[in-house]
Amino acid sequence: VMIHIASGVNIFDYPLHTCIEGVAFSDDEQIAVTGCSDGSVYLWDLASRKLVRKFYPGDHTTQYLADLEGLEERRDKTKKFFDLRHSVSISPDGKRMISGSYEDKTMYLWELSTARELACFVHNSPLINVKFLPDNHHAVSACMDGSVYTWKLP
C-alpha cells in the first residue's frame, strides 16, 4: 500500500509480488519509481494509479561503464545484472532516473520516457543511496565504505 502521508489517502495498493527496497517521487508528485528486490525498477503514474513501465538494469546490449580506477568508460556487451535496486532517484526535471544497487555496486541512469539505459557507473563498494543534484546534470552516490562520489551525467 502506498499512502500520501500529508492527506492520509491511499494512493494505491502495490500489485506486484516483489519487495520494494526504495521509492522516489517526481518533484510534481505525478510519478513515482520503486526499486525492487527482483532487480527491476517500476515507473508509476500516480494520477491513474497504473504501472507505466518496467526497467531491468543491464538488460540492454550496450552499457557504458565508468570504472573508478581511472574513470575510464568502456563498452560491455555481455554483462547483465539482476539484483535488488536499493536506491532510486528521479531528476528534478522529471525526465531521467537513477537506480543504485547494494549487491552489484552499480548506478544506472535511465531515460524515463523510453526506458533507455543511458549509462552505468560501477563502484568499488556497495551503494546505499543515490540522488540527483538540482542541476539535472550531476548525481551523487554514497557507498557502504563511507565514500561519496559526485558524477557528471551524460
Side-chain angles (χ1 to χ4, degrees), residues 19-86:
C19 181
I20 296 175
E21 300 289 339
V23 63
F25 295 87
S26 61
D27 286 349
D28 63 7
E29 297 183 0
Q30 298 299 305
I31 59 172
V33 291
T34 54
C36 299
S37 60
D38 67 357
S40 59
V41 176
Y42 296 88
L43 173 64
W44 302 94
D45 180 305
L46 297 179
S48 68
R49 301 179 181 192
K50 296 201 184 275
L51 175 64
V52 175
R53 183 169 285 117
K54 297 178 195 176
F55 299 81
Y56 294 101
D59 198 22
H60 295 274
T61 56
T62 301
Q63 300 173 24
Y64 294 95
L65 301 178
D67 182 353
L68 287 180
E69 295 175 19
L71 295 176
E72 296 177 13
E73 288 189 356
R74 63 181 170 86
R75 289 186 185 265
D76 181 349
K77 297 187 180 205
T78 59
K79 199 161 188 125
K80 292 187 182 282
F81 299 125
F82 293 98
D83 75 320
L84 67 91
R85 294 285 107 187
H86 182 77

Short mmCIF file of all heavy atoms in Angstrom, two decimals, residues 19-86:
data_model
loop_
_atom_site.label_atom_id
_atom_site.label_comp_id
_atom_site.label_asym_id
_atom_site.label_seq_id
_atom_site.Cartn_x
_atom_site.Cartn_y
_atom_site.Cartn_z
N CYS A 19 9.43 -7.29 -3.26
CA CYS A 19 9.62 -6.37 -2.13
C CYS A 19 10.18 -5.03 -2.63
O CYS A 19 11.14 -5.00 -3.40
CB CYS A 19 10.59 -7.01 -1.15
SG CYS A 19 10.92 -6.02 0.29
N ILE A 20 9.59 -3.92 -2.20
CA ILE A 20 10.10 -2.60 -2.53
C ILE A 20 11.28 -2.29 -1.62
O ILE A 20 11.18 -2.36 -0.41
CB ILE A 20 9.01 -1.52 -2.35
CG1 ILE A 20 7.86 -1.75 -3.33
CG2 ILE A 20 9.60 -0.13 -2.56
CD1 ILE A 20 6.70 -0.79 -3.12
N GLU A 21 12.40 -1.94 -2.24
CA GLU A 21 13.62 -1.60 -1.49
C GLU A 21 13.83 -0.09 -1.43
O GLU A 21 14.52 0.40 -0.55
CB GLU A 21 14.83 -2.26 -2.14
CG GLU A 21 14.76 -3.76 -2.19
CD GLU A 21 14.92 -4.41 -0.83
OE1 GLU A 21 15.46 -3.77 0.09
OE2 GLU A 21 14.49 -5.57 -0.68
N GLY A 22 13.29 0.66 -2.41
CA GLY A 22 13.45 2.11 -2.45
C GLY A 22 12.33 2.74 -3.24
O GLY A 22 11.74 2.10 -4.12
N VAL A 23 12.01 3.98 -2.95
CA VAL A 23 10.96 4.70 -3.68
C VAL A 23 11.38 6.16 -3.83
O VAL A 23 12.05 6.71 -2.95
CB VAL A 23 9.58 4.58 -2.98
CG1 VAL A 23 9.60 5.22 -1.61
CG2 VAL A 23 8.48 5.14 -3.83
N ALA A 24 11.00 6.76 -4.95
CA ALA A 24 11.26 8.19 -5.19
C ALA A 24 10.08 8.77 -5.95
O ALA A 24 9.44 8.09 -6.76
CB ALA A 24 12.54 8.39 -6.01
N PHE A 25 9.77 10.02 -5.66
CA PHE A 25 8.68 10.74 -6.31
C PHE A 25 9.24 11.89 -7.13
O PHE A 25 10.23 12.50 -6.74
CB PHE A 25 7.70 11.29 -5.27
CG PHE A 25 7.00 10.22 -4.49
CD1 PHE A 25 7.57 9.70 -3.34
CD2 PHE A 25 5.78 9.72 -4.92
CE1 PHE A 25 6.93 8.70 -2.62
CE2 PHE A 25 5.15 8.72 -4.21
CZ PHE A 25 5.72 8.21 -3.06
N SER A 26 8.57 12.20 -8.24
CA SER A 26 8.96 13.37 -9.02
C SER A 26 8.60 14.62 -8.22
O SER A 26 7.73 14.59 -7.33
CB SER A 26 8.24 13.39 -10.37
OG SER A 26 6.84 13.43 -10.19
N ASP A 27 9.26 15.73 -8.53
CA ASP A 27 9.01 16.98 -7.81
C ASP A 27 7.56 17.41 -7.91
O ASP A 27 7.01 18.00 -6.98
CB ASP A 27 9.93 18.09 -8.33
CG ASP A 27 11.36 17.92 -7.83
OD1 ASP A 27 11.60 17.07 -6.94
OD2 ASP A 27 12.25 18.64 -8.33
N ASP A 28 6.90 17.11 -9.05
CA ASP A 28 5.49 17.50 -9.21
C ASP A 28 4.52 16.45 -8.66
O ASP A 28 3.31 16.60 -8.77
CB ASP A 28 5.18 17.80 -10.68
CG ASP A 28 5.35 16.59 -11.59
OD1 ASP A 28 5.59 15.46 -11.09
OD2 ASP A 28 5.25 16.78 -12.81
N GLU A 29 5.05 15.36 -8.09
CA GLU A 29 4.27 14.28 -7.49
C GLU A 29 3.32 13.60 -8.46
O GLU A 29 2.32 13.02 -8.07
CB GLU A 29 3.51 14.77 -6.25
CG GLU A 29 4.42 15.25 -5.14
CD GLU A 29 3.68 15.67 -3.89
OE1 GLU A 29 2.43 15.60 -3.85
OE2 GLU A 29 4.35 16.05 -2.93
N GLN A 30 3.66 13.60 -9.75
CA GLN A 30 2.84 12.93 -10.76
C GLN A 30 3.28 11.50 -11.00
O GLN A 30 2.48 10.67 -11.41
CB GLN A 30 2.88 13.71 -12.08
CG GLN A 30 2.31 15.11 -11.98
CD GLN A 30 0.85 15.08 -11.58
OE1 GLN A 30 0.03 14.44 -12.21
NE2 GLN A 30 0.53 15.75 -10.48
N ILE A 31 4.57 11.22 -10.77
CA ILE A 31 5.09 9.88 -10.99
C ILE A 31 5.92 9.44 -9.79
O ILE A 31 6.39 10.26 -9.00
CB ILE A 31 5.94 9.78 -12.27
CG1 ILE A 31 7.14 10.74 -12.22
CG2 ILE A 31 5.10 10.01 -13.52
CD1 ILE A 31 8.13 10.56 -13.35
N ALA A 32 6.10 8.13 -9.68
CA ALA A 32 6.96 7.55 -8.67
C ALA A 32 7.72 6.39 -9.30
O ALA A 32 7.25 5.79 -10.28
CB ALA A 32 6.15 7.05 -7.48
N VAL A 33 8.89 6.08 -8.77
CA VAL A 33 9.62 4.89 -9.17
C VAL A 33 9.90 4.07 -7.91
O VAL A 33 10.10 4.62 -6.83
CB VAL A 33 10.94 5.21 -9.90
CG1 VAL A 33 10.66 5.81 -11.27
CG2 VAL A 33 11.84 6.11 -9.09
N THR A 34 9.85 2.76 -8.07
CA THR A 34 10.16 1.86 -6.98
C THR A 34 11.29 0.92 -7.40
O THR A 34 11.25 0.35 -8.49
CB THR A 34 8.93 1.02 -6.55
OG1 THR A 34 8.39 0.36 -7.71
CG2 THR A 34 7.86 1.89 -5.93
N GLY A 35 12.29 0.80 -6.55
CA GLY A 35 13.37 -0.15 -6.75
C GLY A 35 13.02 -1.40 -5.98
O GLY A 35 12.62 -1.33 -4.82
N CYS A 36 13.16 -2.56 -6.62
CA CYS A 36 12.62 -3.79 -6.04
C CYS A 36 13.67 -4.87 -5.85
O CYS A 36 14.72 -4.85 -6.47
CB CYS A 36 11.49 -4.31 -6.92
SG CYS A 36 10.14 -3.12 -7.05
N SER A 37 13.31 -5.84 -5.02
CA SER A 37 14.21 -6.94 -4.68
C SER A 37 14.44 -7.90 -5.84
O SER A 37 15.38 -8.68 -5.81
CB SER A 37 13.68 -7.70 -3.47
OG SER A 37 12.41 -8.24 -3.76
N ASP A 38 13.60 -7.85 -6.88
CA ASP A 38 13.81 -8.73 -8.03
C ASP A 38 14.76 -8.12 -9.06
O ASP A 38 14.96 -8.67 -10.13
CB ASP A 38 12.47 -9.10 -8.69
CG ASP A 38 11.78 -7.92 -9.36
OD1 ASP A 38 12.28 -6.78 -9.28
OD2 ASP A 38 10.72 -8.15 -9.97
N GLY A 39 15.36 -6.96 -8.74
CA GLY A 39 16.32 -6.33 -9.63
C GLY A 39 15.71 -5.32 -10.57
O GLY A 39 16.41 -4.63 -11.29
N SER A 40 14.40 -5.20 -10.59
CA SER A 40 13.74 -4.28 -11.52
C SER A 40 13.40 -2.97 -10.84
O SER A 40 13.41 -2.85 -9.62
CB SER A 40 12.47 -4.93 -12.07
OG SER A 40 11.61 -5.25 -11.00
N VAL A 41 13.09 -1.99 -11.67
CA VAL A 41 12.60 -0.70 -11.21
C VAL A 41 11.29 -0.45 -11.96
O VAL A 41 11.20 -0.71 -13.16
CB VAL A 41 13.61 0.43 -11.51
CG1 VAL A 41 13.05 1.78 -11.11
CG2 VAL A 41 14.93 0.17 -10.79
N TYR A 42 10.29 0.02 -11.24
CA TYR A 42 8.97 0.25 -11.83
C TYR A 42 8.63 1.73 -11.80
O TYR A 42 8.85 2.40 -10.79
CB TYR A 42 7.90 -0.54 -11.06
CG TYR A 42 8.08 -2.02 -11.15
CD1 TYR A 42 8.89 -2.70 -10.24
CD2 TYR A 42 7.45 -2.75 -12.14
CE1 TYR A 42 9.06 -4.07 -10.32
CE2 TYR A 42 7.61 -4.13 -12.22
CZ TYR A 42 8.42 -4.78 -11.31
OH TYR A 42 8.58 -6.13 -11.40
N LEU A 43 8.07 2.23 -12.91
CA LEU A 43 7.61 3.61 -13.03
C LEU A 43 6.09 3.62 -12.92
O LEU A 43 5.41 2.88 -13.63
CB LEU A 43 8.03 4.20 -14.38
CG LEU A 43 7.48 5.58 -14.74
CD1 LEU A 43 7.99 6.65 -13.78
CD2 LEU A 43 7.87 5.93 -16.18
N TRP A 44 5.56 4.46 -12.02
CA TRP A 44 4.13 4.52 -11.74
C TRP A 44 3.57 5.89 -12.06
O TRP A 44 4.18 6.91 -11.76
CB TRP A 44 3.88 4.24 -10.25
CG TRP A 44 4.42 2.93 -9.80
CD1 TRP A 44 5.64 2.69 -9.25
CD2 TRP A 44 3.76 1.68 -9.89
NE1 TRP A 44 5.78 1.34 -8.97
CE2 TRP A 44 4.64 0.71 -9.35
CE3 TRP A 44 2.51 1.27 -10.35
CZ2 TRP A 44 4.31 -0.64 -9.27
CZ3 TRP A 44 2.19 -0.08 -10.27
CH2 TRP A 44 3.08 -1.01 -9.75
N ASP A 45 2.39 5.92 -12.68
CA ASP A 45 1.62 7.16 -12.85
C ASP A 45 0.71 7.26 -11.64
O ASP A 45 -0.18 6.42 -11.45
CB ASP A 45 0.81 7.10 -14.14
CG ASP A 45 0.00 8.35 -14.36
OD1 ASP A 45 -0.80 8.73 -13.46
OD2 ASP A 45 0.13 8.95 -15.43
N LEU A 46 0.92 8.26 -10.80
CA LEU A 46 0.18 8.34 -9.55
C LEU A 46 -1.27 8.78 -9.75
O LEU A 46 -2.14 8.38 -8.98
CB LEU A 46 0.90 9.26 -8.56
CG LEU A 46 2.29 8.77 -8.15
CD1 LEU A 46 2.94 9.76 -7.20
CD2 LEU A 46 2.23 7.38 -7.53
N ALA A 47 -1.54 9.57 -10.78
CA ALA A 47 -2.92 10.01 -11.02
C ALA A 47 -3.80 8.84 -11.45
O ALA A 47 -4.91 8.67 -10.95
CB ALA A 47 -2.95 11.10 -12.09
N SER A 48 -3.30 8.00 -12.36
CA SER A 48 -4.10 6.87 -12.84
C SER A 48 -3.91 5.62 -11.97
O SER A 48 -4.63 4.65 -12.14
CB SER A 48 -3.72 6.53 -14.29
OG SER A 48 -2.40 6.01 -14.34
N ARG A 49 -2.91 5.66 -11.11
CA ARG A 49 -2.57 4.53 -10.25
C ARG A 49 -2.17 3.29 -11.07
O ARG A 49 -2.48 2.16 -10.71
CB ARG A 49 -3.72 4.19 -9.30
CG ARG A 49 -4.09 5.32 -8.40
CD ARG A 49 -5.23 4.95 -7.51
NE ARG A 49 -5.57 6.10 -6.67
CZ ARG A 49 -6.37 6.02 -5.63
NH1 ARG A 49 -6.91 4.88 -5.30
NH2 ARG A 49 -6.62 7.10 -4.93
N LYS A 50 -1.49 3.53 -12.17
CA LYS A 50 -1.12 2.44 -13.07
C LYS A 50 0.39 2.35 -13.25
O LYS A 50 1.10 3.35 -13.21
CB LYS A 50 -1.79 2.62 -14.42
CG LYS A 50 -3.30 2.54 -14.34
CD LYS A 50 -3.89 2.21 -15.69
CE LYS A 50 -5.38 2.24 -15.63
NZ LYS A 50 -5.99 1.06 -15.19
N LEU A 51 0.81 1.12 -13.50
CA LEU A 51 2.20 0.87 -13.86
C LEU A 51 2.42 1.37 -15.28
O LEU A 51 1.68 1.01 -16.19
CB LEU A 51 2.49 -0.63 -13.77
CG LEU A 51 3.87 -1.09 -14.21
CD1 LEU A 51 4.95 -0.51 -13.33
CD2 LEU A 51 3.92 -2.61 -14.21
N VAL A 52 3.45 2.19 -15.47
CA VAL A 52 3.75 2.74 -16.79
C VAL A 52 4.81 1.90 -17.50
O VAL A 52 4.70 1.60 -18.68
CB VAL A 52 4.24 4.20 -16.68
CG1 VAL A 52 4.67 4.75 -18.03
CG2 VAL A 52 3.18 5.08 -16.05
N ARG A 53 5.85 1.52 -16.75
CA ARG A 53 6.99 0.87 -17.40
C ARG A 53 7.82 0.12 -16.37
O ARG A 53 7.88 0.49 -15.22
CB ARG A 53 7.83 1.97 -18.04
CG ARG A 53 9.00 1.55 -18.83
CD ARG A 53 9.59 2.72 -19.63
NE ARG A 53 8.73 3.00 -20.76
CZ ARG A 53 8.07 4.14 -20.95
NH1 ARG A 53 8.18 5.11 -20.10
NH2 ARG A 53 7.31 4.31 -22.01
N LYS A 54 8.50 -0.94 -16.85
CA LYS A 54 9.46 -1.68 -16.04
C LYS A 54 10.85 -1.43 -16.60
O LYS A 54 11.03 -1.37 -17.81
CB LYS A 54 9.18 -3.18 -16.10
CG LYS A 54 7.87 -3.60 -15.53
CD LYS A 54 7.71 -5.10 -15.71
CE LYS A 54 6.27 -5.50 -15.49
NZ LYS A 54 6.07 -6.93 -15.75
N PHE A 55 11.81 -1.33 -15.73
CA PHE A 55 13.21 -1.16 -16.11
C PHE A 55 13.99 -2.33 -15.53
O PHE A 55 13.81 -2.67 -14.36
CB PHE A 55 13.78 0.13 -15.51
CG PHE A 55 13.09 1.37 -15.96
CD1 PHE A 55 11.90 1.76 -15.36
CD2 PHE A 55 13.61 2.16 -16.96
CE1 PHE A 55 11.25 2.93 -15.75
CE2 PHE A 55 12.97 3.32 -17.36
CZ PHE A 55 11.80 3.70 -16.75
N TYR A 56 14.86 -2.94 -16.36
CA TYR A 56 15.69 -4.03 -15.88
C TYR A 56 17.15 -3.65 -16.11
O TYR A 56 17.62 -3.67 -17.24
CB TYR A 56 15.37 -5.33 -16.61
CG TYR A 56 14.00 -5.85 -16.30
CD1 TYR A 56 12.95 -5.66 -17.19
CD2 TYR A 56 13.76 -6.50 -15.10
CE1 TYR A 56 11.68 -6.12 -16.88
CE2 TYR A 56 12.49 -6.98 -14.80
CZ TYR A 56 11.47 -6.79 -15.70
OH TYR A 56 10.22 -7.25 -15.40
N PRO A 57 17.88 -3.30 -15.06
CA PRO A 57 19.29 -2.91 -15.22
C PRO A 57 20.10 -3.98 -15.92
O PRO A 57 19.98 -5.16 -15.61
CB PRO A 57 19.75 -2.72 -13.78
CG PRO A 57 18.51 -2.40 -13.04
CD PRO A 57 17.43 -3.21 -13.69
N GLY A 58 20.91 -3.56 -16.88
CA GLY A 58 21.78 -4.50 -17.58
C GLY A 58 21.09 -5.31 -18.64
O GLY A 58 21.70 -6.18 -19.24
N ASP A 59 19.83 -5.03 -18.92
CA ASP A 59 19.07 -5.84 -19.87
C ASP A 59 19.11 -5.23 -21.28
O ASP A 59 18.18 -5.37 -22.03
CB ASP A 59 17.63 -5.97 -19.39
CG ASP A 59 16.90 -7.12 -20.07
OD1 ASP A 59 17.57 -8.04 -20.57
OD2 ASP A 59 15.66 -7.09 -20.11
N HIS A 60 20.17 -4.55 -21.61
CA HIS A 60 20.35 -3.97 -22.93
C HIS A 60 21.66 -4.47 -23.51
O HIS A 60 22.52 -4.94 -22.79
CB HIS A 60 20.34 -2.44 -22.85
CG HIS A 60 19.02 -1.91 -22.39
ND1 HIS A 60 17.98 -1.66 -23.24
CD2 HIS A 60 18.55 -1.64 -21.15
CE1 HIS A 60 16.94 -1.23 -22.55
NE2 HIS A 60 17.26 -1.21 -21.28
N THR A 61 21.84 -4.36 -24.80
CA THR A 61 23.02 -4.92 -25.43
C THR A 61 24.26 -4.07 -25.21
O THR A 61 25.36 -4.57 -25.30
CB THR A 61 22.80 -5.10 -26.94
OG1 THR A 61 22.43 -3.84 -27.50
CG2 THR A 61 21.71 -6.12 -27.19
N THR A 62 24.12 -2.79 -24.95
CA THR A 62 25.27 -1.93 -24.76
C THR A 62 25.15 -1.16 -23.46
O THR A 62 24.11 -0.61 -23.16
CB THR A 62 25.41 -0.93 -25.92
OG1 THR A 62 25.53 -1.65 -27.13
CG2 THR A 62 26.64 -0.05 -25.74
N GLN A 63 26.23 -1.13 -22.71
CA GLN A 63 26.29 -0.34 -21.48
C GLN A 63 27.56 0.49 -21.52
O GLN A 63 28.56 0.08 -22.08
CB GLN A 63 26.37 -1.23 -20.25
CG GLN A 63 25.22 -2.16 -20.08
CD GLN A 63 25.49 -3.12 -18.94
OE1 GLN A 63 26.27 -2.83 -18.05
NE2 GLN A 63 24.85 -4.25 -18.97
N TYR A 64 27.51 1.65 -20.93
CA TYR A 64 28.70 2.45 -20.73
C TYR A 64 29.02 2.38 -19.25
O TYR A 64 28.21 2.77 -18.42
CB TYR A 64 28.47 3.90 -21.14
CG TYR A 64 28.22 4.05 -22.60
CD1 TYR A 64 26.93 4.08 -23.10
CD2 TYR A 64 29.29 4.13 -23.48
CE1 TYR A 64 26.69 4.20 -24.45
CE2 TYR A 64 29.06 4.25 -24.84
CZ TYR A 64 27.76 4.29 -25.32
OH TYR A 64 27.54 4.40 -26.65
N LEU A 65 30.19 1.86 -18.92
CA LEU A 65 30.55 1.67 -17.53
C LEU A 65 31.68 2.62 -17.17
O LEU A 65 32.66 2.73 -17.89
CB LEU A 65 31.00 0.23 -17.29
CG LEU A 65 29.98 -0.85 -17.62
CD1 LEU A 65 30.59 -2.22 -17.37
CD2 LEU A 65 28.73 -0.68 -16.79
N ALA A 66 31.55 3.31 -16.06
CA ALA A 66 32.62 4.18 -15.56
C ALA A 66 33.36 3.42 -14.47
O ALA A 66 32.78 3.05 -13.47
CB ALA A 66 32.03 5.47 -15.03
N ASP A 67 34.61 3.17 -14.67
CA ASP A 67 35.42 2.43 -13.73
C ASP A 67 36.10 3.45 -12.81
O ASP A 67 36.77 4.35 -13.26
CB ASP A 67 36.47 1.63 -14.51
CG ASP A 67 37.35 0.79 -13.62
OD1 ASP A 67 37.26 0.90 -12.39
OD2 ASP A 67 38.14 0.03 -14.19
N LEU A 68 35.93 3.29 -11.51
CA LEU A 68 36.51 4.23 -10.57
C LEU A 68 38.03 4.25 -10.63
O LEU A 68 38.65 5.24 -10.30
CB LEU A 68 36.06 3.91 -9.14
CG LEU A 68 34.63 4.27 -8.83
CD1 LEU A 68 34.31 3.90 -7.38
CD2 LEU A 68 34.37 5.73 -9.06
N GLU A 69 38.65 3.17 -11.04
CA GLU A 69 40.09 3.15 -11.16
C GLU A 69 40.46 3.77 -12.50
O GLU A 69 40.71 3.12 -13.48
CB GLU A 69 40.61 1.72 -11.06
CG GLU A 69 40.37 1.12 -9.68
CD GLU A 69 40.77 -0.33 -9.61
OE1 GLU A 69 41.54 -0.79 -10.46
OE2 GLU A 69 40.29 -1.00 -8.68
N GLY A 70 40.46 5.11 -12.55
CA GLY A 70 40.78 5.84 -13.77
C GLY A 70 39.56 6.44 -14.43
O GLY A 70 39.67 7.22 -15.35
N LEU A 71 38.37 6.09 -13.96
CA LEU A 71 37.11 6.58 -14.52
C LEU A 71 37.05 6.45 -16.04
O LEU A 71 36.53 7.29 -16.74
CB LEU A 71 36.89 8.05 -14.12
CG LEU A 71 36.70 8.29 -12.64
CD1 LEU A 71 36.58 9.78 -12.37
CD2 LEU A 71 35.45 7.58 -12.13
N GLU A 72 37.59 5.35 -16.55
CA GLU A 72 37.56 5.12 -17.98
C GLU A 72 36.24 4.50 -18.38
O GLU A 72 35.74 3.60 -17.71
CB GLU A 72 38.70 4.18 -18.38
CG GLU A 72 40.07 4.78 -18.13
CD GLU A 72 41.18 3.80 -18.46
OE1 GLU A 72 40.91 2.76 -19.11
OE2 GLU A 72 42.31 4.07 -18.06
N GLU A 73 35.67 4.98 -19.48
CA GLU A 73 34.44 4.38 -19.99
C GLU A 73 34.80 3.23 -20.92
O GLU A 73 35.77 3.29 -21.66
CB GLU A 73 33.62 5.42 -20.76
CG GLU A 73 33.00 6.43 -19.84
CD GLU A 73 32.01 7.33 -20.57
OE1 GLU A 73 31.87 7.21 -21.79
OE2 GLU A 73 31.39 8.13 -19.87
N ARG A 74 34.00 2.19 -20.85
CA ARG A 74 34.20 1.07 -21.74
C ARG A 74 32.85 0.47 -22.09
O ARG A 74 31.89 0.65 -21.37
CB ARG A 74 35.11 0.02 -21.11
CG ARG A 74 34.55 -0.61 -19.87
CD ARG A 74 35.54 -1.61 -19.29
NE ARG A 74 35.12 -2.06 -17.98
CZ ARG A 74 34.29 -3.06 -17.77
NH1 ARG A 74 33.75 -3.71 -18.77
NH2 ARG A 74 33.97 -3.42 -16.55
N ARG A 75 32.80 -0.24 -23.18
CA ARG A 75 31.57 -0.94 -23.58
C ARG A 75 31.62 -2.36 -23.07
O ARG A 75 32.64 -3.01 -23.08
CB ARG A 75 31.42 -0.95 -25.09
CG ARG A 75 31.10 0.38 -25.68
CD ARG A 75 30.82 0.20 -27.18
NE ARG A 75 30.63 1.48 -27.78
CZ ARG A 75 29.46 2.05 -27.97
NH1 ARG A 75 28.37 1.44 -27.61
NH2 ARG A 75 29.36 3.22 -28.54
N ASP A 76 30.47 -2.84 -22.62
CA ASP A 76 30.37 -4.22 -22.15
C ASP A 76 29.09 -4.78 -22.73
O ASP A 76 28.01 -4.38 -22.33
CB ASP A 76 30.34 -4.24 -20.62
CG ASP A 76 30.25 -5.66 -20.09
OD1 ASP A 76 30.01 -6.60 -20.86
OD2 ASP A 76 30.44 -5.80 -18.88
N LYS A 77 29.21 -5.69 -23.68
CA LYS A 77 28.03 -6.18 -24.40
C LYS A 77 27.46 -7.46 -23.82
O LYS A 77 26.51 -7.98 -24.34
CB LYS A 77 28.38 -6.38 -25.87
CG LYS A 77 28.76 -5.08 -26.53
CD LYS A 77 28.94 -5.26 -28.00
CE LYS A 77 29.30 -3.91 -28.58
NZ LYS A 77 28.99 -3.74 -29.92
N THR A 78 28.02 -7.98 -22.75
CA THR A 78 27.55 -9.26 -22.26
C THR A 78 27.06 -9.23 -20.82
O THR A 78 26.25 -10.06 -20.44
CB THR A 78 28.67 -10.31 -22.34
OG1 THR A 78 29.78 -9.86 -21.56
CG2 THR A 78 29.10 -10.53 -23.77
N LYS A 79 27.51 -8.32 -20.02
CA LYS A 79 27.20 -8.35 -18.59
C LYS A 79 25.74 -8.00 -18.34
O LYS A 79 25.22 -7.04 -18.86
CB LYS A 79 28.11 -7.37 -17.86
CG LYS A 79 28.20 -7.63 -16.40
CD LYS A 79 29.44 -6.96 -15.85
CE LYS A 79 29.61 -7.39 -14.44
NZ LYS A 79 30.84 -7.95 -14.13
N LYS A 80 25.10 -8.75 -17.51
CA LYS A 80 23.72 -8.48 -17.10
C LYS A 80 23.65 -8.54 -15.58
O LYS A 80 24.21 -9.43 -14.97
CB LYS A 80 22.76 -9.50 -17.70
CG LYS A 80 22.65 -9.36 -19.20
CD LYS A 80 21.57 -10.28 -19.72
CE LYS A 80 21.48 -10.20 -21.21
NZ LYS A 80 20.79 -9.07 -21.69
N PHE A 81 22.98 -7.57 -15.00
CA PHE A 81 22.86 -7.52 -13.54
C PHE A 81 21.41 -7.70 -13.15
O PHE A 81 20.54 -7.01 -13.64
CB PHE A 81 23.36 -6.17 -13.00
CG PHE A 81 24.79 -5.89 -13.30
CD1 PHE A 81 25.16 -4.72 -13.95
CD2 PHE A 81 25.77 -6.79 -12.94
CE1 PHE A 81 26.47 -4.46 -14.21
CE2 PHE A 81 27.09 -6.53 -13.21
CZ PHE A 81 27.45 -5.36 -13.85
N PHE A 82 21.14 -8.62 -12.26
CA PHE A 82 19.80 -8.80 -11.74
C PHE A 82 19.89 -8.98 -10.23
O PHE A 82 20.03 -10.07 -9.73
CB PHE A 82 19.12 -10.01 -12.38
CG PHE A 82 18.86 -9.80 -13.83
CD1 PHE A 82 19.71 -10.31 -14.79
CD2 PHE A 82 17.76 -9.06 -14.25
CE1 PHE A 82 19.47 -10.09 -16.13
CE2 PHE A 82 17.51 -8.84 -15.58
CZ PHE A 82 18.37 -9.36 -16.52
N ASP A 83 19.88 -7.87 -9.52
CA ASP A 83 19.84 -7.93 -8.07
C ASP A 83 19.05 -6.74 -7.57
O ASP A 83 18.61 -5.91 -8.36
CB ASP A 83 21.25 -7.97 -7.48
CG ASP A 83 21.93 -6.63 -7.53
OD1 ASP A 83 21.79 -5.91 -8.52
OD2 ASP A 83 22.60 -6.29 -6.57
N LEU A 84 18.89 -6.65 -6.29
CA LEU A 84 18.00 -5.62 -5.78
C LEU A 84 18.48 -4.21 -6.09
O LEU A 84 19.65 -3.93 -6.08
CB LEU A 84 17.76 -5.80 -4.27
CG LEU A 84 18.91 -5.58 -3.31
CD1 LEU A 84 18.94 -4.14 -2.85
CD2 LEU A 84 18.72 -6.50 -2.12
N ARG A 85 17.53 -3.37 -6.46
CA ARG A 85 17.78 -1.95 -6.69
C ARG A 85 17.45 -1.27 -5.38
O ARG A 85 16.29 -1.06 -5.05
CB ARG A 85 16.90 -1.40 -7.81
CG ARG A 85 17.19 -1.98 -9.17
CD ARG A 85 18.46 -1.41 -9.76
NE ARG A 85 19.53 -2.40 -9.73
CZ ARG A 85 20.79 -2.14 -10.05
NH1 ARG A 85 21.16 -0.94 -10.40
NH2 ARG A 85 21.69 -3.07 -10.00
N HIS A 86 18.46 -0.96 -4.62
CA HIS A 86 18.32 -0.48 -3.25
C HIS A 86 17.87 0.98 -3.16
O HIS A 86 17.15 1.35 -2.24
CB HIS A 86 19.68 -0.64 -2.56
CG HIS A 86 19.70 -0.24 -1.13
ND1 HIS A 86 19.17 -1.03 -0.14
CD2 HIS A 86 20.17 0.87 -0.52
CE1 HIS A 86 19.33 -0.43 1.02
NE2 HIS A 86 19.93 0.72 0.82
#
